[in-house]
Amino acid sequence: PLSPELPAQPMNGAGEYIFTYDVTWEESPIRWASRWDLYLYMGDDQIHWFSILNSLAIVLLLTGIVAMIMVRTLRRDLNSYNAEEKEELQEESGWKLVH
């Protein structure tokens, strides 16, 4: 058993070292159910408008990028399906096969 009265262990390279700590339990006047109230209480009731607008801008930007990719893909597909010369030369493929 170790105790605070023992001298410090010399550290000689690699080996096994023992680390200890002490715990002192003190009674508190705070009830168990309300122990987190200090950390969960929001003192400033201001709305973080910058964060809301930043999130909205990112959502709109990503939605625009996805919409642009889909529009370009659909336009290219529809143009290739509507071309008369290409339609005669190649077999039907893609979504036209689903029927």
Side-chain angles (χ1 to χ4, degrees), residues 74-91:
L74 287 174
R75 185 180 297 153
R76 186 177 63 227
D77 287 347
L78 290 175
N79 286 338
S80 68
Y81 291 140
N82 290 331
E84 292 178 3
E85 296 122 15
K86 291 182 182 176
E87 188 174 321
E88 295 172 1
L89 296 175
Q90 66 183 178
E91 294 181 21

Side-chain angles (χ1 to χ4, degrees), residues 30-75:
I30 299 173
R31 292 184 8 198
W32 178 257
S34 60
R35 66 191 184 281
W36 282 98
D37 290 348
L38 176 67
Y39 303 107
L40 298 177
Y41 175 70
M42 294 180 57
D44 54 348
D45 292 335
Q46 67 180 3
I47 298 173
H48 297 278
W49 290 109
F50 179 74
S51 298
I52 294 172
L53 291 177
N54 190 20
S55 300
L56 183 64
I58 290 173
V59 166
L60 291 176
L61 176 73
L62 293 176
T63 303
I65 290 172
V66 170
M68 184 178 64
I69 291 171
M70 290 185 68
V71 165
R72 289 177 62 192
T73 304
L74 287 174
R75 185 180 297 153

